[in-house]
Amino acid sequence: MADVPTNAPIECPGTQSQQAGKVSACNGCANQQLCASGASLPPDPAIEIIKQRLQTVKHKLLILSGKGGVGKSSFTAHLARGLATNEDEDIAILDIDLCGPSIPRIMGVEGHQVFQSMSGWSPVFVEDNLSIMSIGFLLSGPADAVIWRGPKKNGLIKQFLRDVNWGELDYLLIDTPPGTSDEHISIAQYLKGAGVDGAIVITTPQTESQIFPPTTGGGRQMAIDMDVPFIGKIPLDPRIGKCCDEGISYFSEVPDSPATKAYKNIIEEIRKFCASKPANDASEVEN
Ligand SMILES: Nc1ncnc2c1ncn2[C@@H]1O[C@H](COP(=O)(O)OP(=O)(O)O)[C@@H](O)[C@H]1O
Ligand code: SF4
Ligand SMILES: [Mg+2]
């Protein structure tokens, strides 16, 4: 696992790496002696800082998927919009999907400037009670993500978890990179102190049909196998893609569709799940 302490240079190979303390990047780093000796470093202070930072957030949910293109960001956006229909609650999305940070586009705020003040990065407000922060705001183009590898990615993810000034929130939804990479381990580690209510796994029947016969419903079977609740299934509807591309709300555009109904049921399930707050759980949505 590429663990990069907050005080390490950006080229840090990770404290768990064979090269820890031994490469040129380590010269002058405060941890060099400990890293080179193979001793474990004290816990990353960022974990505590992130915990403090997220103390004003009631519920934190990670949105995960095995691979890209399965509807993870669309789901995150709809979950946020659905939750935000309760005007008494404040919702935010943190988009740390370096592979394709699409939340600004889906939420209709692509290309917005983000500001950093003494109290941290200020999120962009989509509605009075719905704000977002995305790594996409910091990229000048899709090629940028490619140059951010390993430790540098982790440093950036950590910075985002640590430095966004959310204020009081009821729900923070974190759109993560697809797959089960180092980044996920880091995200889970950084959020250890802050506590996460649960993880929502997005999958498609097509993805899973190689593993499970399609007739069983891939997502449902996977949820049973993983012993996590299967929250629901969203029908395919090309208008979802269109609304996401145009950055407008599918719920406002198509309020009575089967997909809207499905989203709403799922959102209710997630509300209930968060209200009961069982720790270290995961749930599954089929898209
Ligand atoms: N239920 C759905 N019906 C039709 N298209 C969908 C649905 N969910 C997502 N999409 C579309 O599928 C594509 C991939 O979705 P996206 O949310 O960007 O995936 P990911 O974040 O997993 O990469 C997008 O064009 C999106 O608009
Ligand atoms: S000594 Fe090297 S491996 Fe250890 S934290 Fe510093 S840069 Fe990273
Ligand atoms: Mg995405």
Side-chain angles (χ1 to χ4, degrees):
M1 172 175 67
D3 187 17
V4 179
T6 31
N7 60 351
I10 207 86
E11 296 82 11
C12 168
T15 56
Q16 312 290 312
S17 133
Q18 297 269 331
Q19 302 167 314
K22 297 173 190 152
V23 294
S24 61
C26 304
N27 293 333
C29 174
N31 309 315
Q32 188 169 20
Q33 224 176 343
L34 268 178
C35 282
S37 72
S40 50
L41 293 180
D44 189 331
I47 296 170
E48 184 56 31
I49 298 171
I50 290 168
K51 179 180 169 187
Q52 298 297 332
R53 172 66 87 182
L54 296 182
Q55 241 165 15
T56 56
V57 179
K58 280 191 197 150
H59 300 295
K60 304 157 199 90
L61 291 166
L62 295 178
I63 324 296
L64 313 172
S65 68
K67 63 172 200 169
V70 297
K72 182 165 55 67
S73 300
S74 325
F75 178 77
T76 307
H78 284 88
L79 176 57
R81 288 202 200 266
L83 289 169
T85 54
N86 180 349
E87 288 170 9
D88 296 334
E89 290 187 324
D90 291 294
I91 322 297
I93 300 177
L94 176 64
D95 174 15
I96 47 175
D97 184 355
L98 274 160
C99 305
S102 54
I103 290 294
R105 175 177 52 80
I106 298 175
M107 300 305 281
V109 288
E110 197 169 31
H112 269 234
Q113 289 266 326
V114 284
F115 298 101
Q116 198 173 20
S117 69
M118 293 286 281
S119 54
W121 291 98
S122 304
V124 172
F125 278 80
V126 175
E127 287 170 32
D128 286 351
N129 64 339
L130 175 53
S131 59
I132 70 166
M133 186 60 183
S134 169
I135 261 173
F137 289 134
L138 303 188
L139 300 174
S140 52
D144 268 14
V146 180
I147 58 167
W148 279 341
R149 292 191 186 282
K152 193 170 176 190
K153 276 190 197 170
N154 284 333
L156 197 66
I157 287 169
K158 175 155 65 181
Q159 196 190 353
F160 260 49
L161 291 172
R162 199 183 51 190
D163 294 348
V164 182
N165 183 20
W166 296 110
E168 300 275 333
L169 285 182
D170 291 281
Y171 293 91
L172 177 64
L173 314 178
I174 306 177
D175 189 1
T176 65
T180 48
S181 57
D182 274 0
E183 283 107 276
H184 291 87
I185 300 167
S186 302
I187 292 162
Q189 196 196 24
Y190 297 145
L191 288 169
K192 216 162 49 184
V196 171
D197 289 56
I200 300 161
V201 183
I202 311 294
T203 184
T204 61
Q206 291 90 330
T207 312
E208 304 306 328
S209 60
Q210 293 158 346
I211 308 167
F212 308 109
T215 47
T216 63
R220 191 181 296 275
Q221 187 58 45
M222 188 172 152
I224 293 167
D225 287 3
M226 289 166 69
D227 197 21
V228 296
F230 176 78
I231 324 181
K233 190 173 169 143
I234 297 153
L236 290 175
D237 181 344
R239 292 171 294 185
I240 293 176
K242 190 167 178 290
C243 288
C244 287
D245 280 344
E246 292 172 6
I248 54 176
S249 168
Y250 171 76
F251 295 152
S252 313
E253 286 296 298
V254 199
D256 296 319
S257 72
T260 297
K261 218 176 269 176
Y263 273 124
K264 288 193 171 159
N265 286 338
I266 289 170
I267 291 164
E268 246 356 271
E269 287 301 310
I270 291 170
R271 262 190 212 284
K272 278 192 235 155
F273 172 83
C274 286
S276 70
K277 268 184 95 169
N280 302 323
D281 214 333
S283 306
E284 175 108 6
V285 171
E286 188 172 290
N287 208 350

